[in-house]
Amino acid sequence: MLILGAWTARAQDEAARFKAAGVVHYSDFGAKGDGKTDDIDAIAATHAFANLHGLRVKADDGATYYIGGKHLTAIIRTETDFGKAAFIIDDTEAEKRDASVFMVSSALKPFKLEMIRSLKRNQKKINATLPGPCLITVTNANVKQYIRYGLNQNNGSSQTDIFVVDKNGNVDMNAPIIWDFDKITEITALPIDEKPLKISGGRFTTIANKAESKYNYYSRNIAVRRSNVTLEGLEHHIKGEGEQGAPYNGFISIGDCSYVTVKNTILTGHKTYSTIGTADKPVSMGSYDLSVNRALNVSFVNCSQTNDINDSKYWGILGSNFCKNLLYDHCTLSRFDAHQGVANATIRNSTLGHMGINAIGTGLLLVENSCIRGKNIVNLRSDYGSTWQGELVIRNCIFVPANGNPVSASLIGGSNSGQHDFGYICYMPEKITIENLRIEDSAHPEAYEGPAIFANFNPEMTNASYQEKFPFIKTKQVVLKNVTTASGKKLRISDNAFIFKGVKVNAGSVSGK
């Protein structure tokens, strides 16, 4: 056993042995792995030593590491294999609820870019010479966007953008700048680690907190704050959820980074609790096992969850904000969700459960080779204006409205009264392409007229006398090809056809059979 800092001759010999082996184990620093002794000090010390000497970390197979409520974060900067070990994270008496248990971080330090005072949407280059590729985060605190409407209403967030540039300041146009910044109050460059880092294995169990059901989020998690990271083969389970509990902000929490892949991972949806929202009315609290914020090029590949993706007792598994290029591939999960915007998102080869696909943002939203069991194929979030400035493509999919419950189905959900200022112009997708879609709507209510392309986005807007204070820019074109229904009823535009009277619908091969 080596205690970091106890530099006896024996300790120095053991340190030399670890360096020669290229790997260090938690037991080398005193971890018991008996499932009872709090091992967080030993775990953190192991990673600190490994970071100092560039060594891999390996958990002891068969060990069960208990992590109590102590406020201490283990910093991971080297390859880590949690292997077949188990980790018990006890949140019942956490000293600091928003402190991560593990943080995958970079040794590279961010720095300010003082000379850049404005930016333009789709700008291709910034005037900066950098040490290498960097993640740029820019803010204008004088402009508020995403001014939320509804039960969780708020005053919005400062205008924010995040993008990658090379050492010469050239912007990666696969994740372009999406806002005009007339003024910049803060702009930061974070150098990107170009060497990939892998974190693998481990069976993690959270003993859930029993705090009051308020918006006091727990983040006792694995946080990824470094670019070029792969997490593979992790499992996360939850036990001890009772009558009340504070929500969670993601067991895997990805932020301020780019090029992150989570693969072959098993997650767990959190129990849904309710509280009083900012509108002084009861509201269900979002509680996430996956969280992605201010991150680019994040992929979830072959991920699933332990509980039923269609069980509404459990909240949808992902929440995200300020992201670009998010991907689900071969995933079976209860929800995909982009709150404060995503630029480009892809759902493919996947099954989405009761909370479906929820998004606002820009660019291309692509859903292909997937089965969607939510209320809509895509719900454009009404609390942020149901805005998507770009294109929506649905291809080779099966839609089971409300998981087969009797509902009047609509493919694209959302609402916008045109009376609320969200801090930006709100758009519906300019072009919607729906190709090779099967709608399993045989279980439907009486007087069902068939599935609608659009939900009734504004029931009050039934004629030209209605005036939108903040106009909602409608879809220009819908292209349909090979759309079939189990009910035998044909696809129609909406319950409120007036709103969409200017939409051009190219209906090639649409049938009820």
Side-chain angles (χ1 to χ4, degrees), residues 8 65 104 183 262 275 283:
T8 63
Y65 301 104
V104 184
K183 184 178 180 181
V262 179
T275 190
V283 61

Side-chain angles (χ1 to χ4, degrees), residues 361-380:
T362 64
L364 174 63
L365 177 52
L366 172 62
V367 185
E368 64 178 353
N369 302 321
S370 294
C371 179
I372 312 301
R373 309 187 75 89
K375 187 177 179 181
N376 315 104
I377 298 179
V378 173
N379 175 50
L380 299 173

Side-chain angles (χ1 to χ4, degrees), residues 24-300:
V24 63
H25 297 77
Y26 294 137
S27 57
D28 294 327
F29 284 76
K32 300 298 184 185
D34 58 10
K36 299 176 182 178
T37 305
D38 194 334
D39 283 325
I40 188 59
D41 287 312
I43 289 170
T46 305
H47 284 287
F49 184 87
N51 297 340
L52 188 63
H53 298 285
L55 305 177
R56 292 182 294 115
V57 173
K58 177 77 169 67
D60 299 273
D61 285 341
T64 297
Y65 301 104
Y66 175 82
I67 297 171
K70 186 175 184 178
H71 175 207
L72 181 60
T73 300
I75 304 299
I76 299 176
R77 289 180 178 162
T78 63
E79 182 177 318
T80 297
D81 183 6
F82 295 125
K84 298 178 181 178
F87 295 79
I88 299 171
I89 300 173
D90 190 346
D91 287 349
T92 56
E93 295 184 5
E95 291 179 358
K96 189 172 174 58
R97 58 179 171 77
D98 57 353
S100 298
V101 176
F102 294 93
M103 181 173 289
V104 184
S105 75
S106 172
L108 303 174
K109 301 299 181 184
F111 56 92
K112 305 294 184 185
L113 294 176
E114 304 290 354
M115 300 305 294
I116 300 175
R117 296 186 172 87
S118 65
L119 289 171
K120 291 294 182 184
R121 176 180 169 89
N122 292 321
Q123 184 172 322
K124 295 182 178 179
K125 191 177 189 299
I126 63 170
N127 186 22
T129 302
L130 304 161
C134 287
L135 188 70
I136 309 297
T137 303
V138 57
T139 303
N140 182 0
N142 301 307
V143 173
K144 297 299 178 184
Q145 297 177 321
Y146 304 107
I147 303 169
R148 198 172 189 179
Y149 176 78
L151 297 178
N152 283 319
Q153 62 194 31
N154 61 35
N155 294 322
S157 300
S158 295
Q159 186 182 40
T160 299
D161 212 335
I162 182 168
F163 52 95
V164 170
V165 297
D166 65 15
K167 65 180 181 179
N168 298 315
N170 296 304
V171 178
D172 177 2
M173 297 306 288
N174 291 317
I177 299 168
I178 62 172
W179 301 111
D180 289 330
F181 284 81
D182 296 330
K183 184 178 180 181
I184 292 172
T185 53
E186 184 175 14
I187 181 165
T188 302
L190 175 62
I192 290 176
D193 290 87
E194 297 187 69
K195 181 180 178 181
L197 177 62
K198 185 175 182 180
I199 315 296
S200 58
R203 180 186 174 95
F204 296 83
T205 299
T206 293
I207 301 176
N209 76 79
K210 294 175 172 54
E212 190 175 354
S213 296
K214 290 186 175 182
Y215 280 115
N216 293 322
Y217 277 95
Y218 275 64
S219 298
R220 301 251 300 158
N221 55 19
I222 299 174
V224 178
R225 302 292 183 265
R226 178 203 192 269
S227 295
N228 282 314
V229 173
T230 298
L231 283 80
E232 182 171 7
L234 280 72
E235 291 186 26
H236 182 233
H237 302 261
I238 301 167
K239 60 186 286 187
E241 291 181 316
E243 292 302 311
Q244 67 176 34
Y248 280 84
N249 213 8
F251 180 71
I252 297 176
S253 172
I254 300 167
D256 297 308
C257 54
S258 185
Y259 316 114
V260 175
T261 299
V262 179
K263 61 194 295 190
N264 305 326
T265 289
I266 299 172
L267 303 148
T268 299
H270 289 260
K271 185 177 177 180
T272 300
Y273 296 103
S274 64
T275 190
I276 301 300
T278 53
D280 291 326
K281 295 181 180 179
V283 61
S284 296
M285 289 189 298
S287 191
Y288 308 103
D289 222 36
L290 293 172
S291 178
V292 190
N293 292 290
R294 299 203 310 186
L296 313 180
N297 307 306
V298 178
S299 300
F300 297 95

Side-chain angles (χ1 to χ4, degrees), residues 449-488:
E449 297 179 20
I453 299 171
F454 299 103
N456 187 347
F457 274 65
N458 185 357
E460 296 181 16
M461 189 176 185
T462 57
N463 57 57
S465 67
Y466 186 89
Q467 295 298 308
E468 294 177 301
K469 187 176 180 181
F470 301 96
F472 186 31
I473 311 303
K474 308 304 186 293
T475 296
K476 292 182 178 179
Q477 182 183 19
V478 177
V479 177
L480 304 173
K481 183 178 180 181
N482 192 25
V483 178
T484 62
T485 67
S487 67

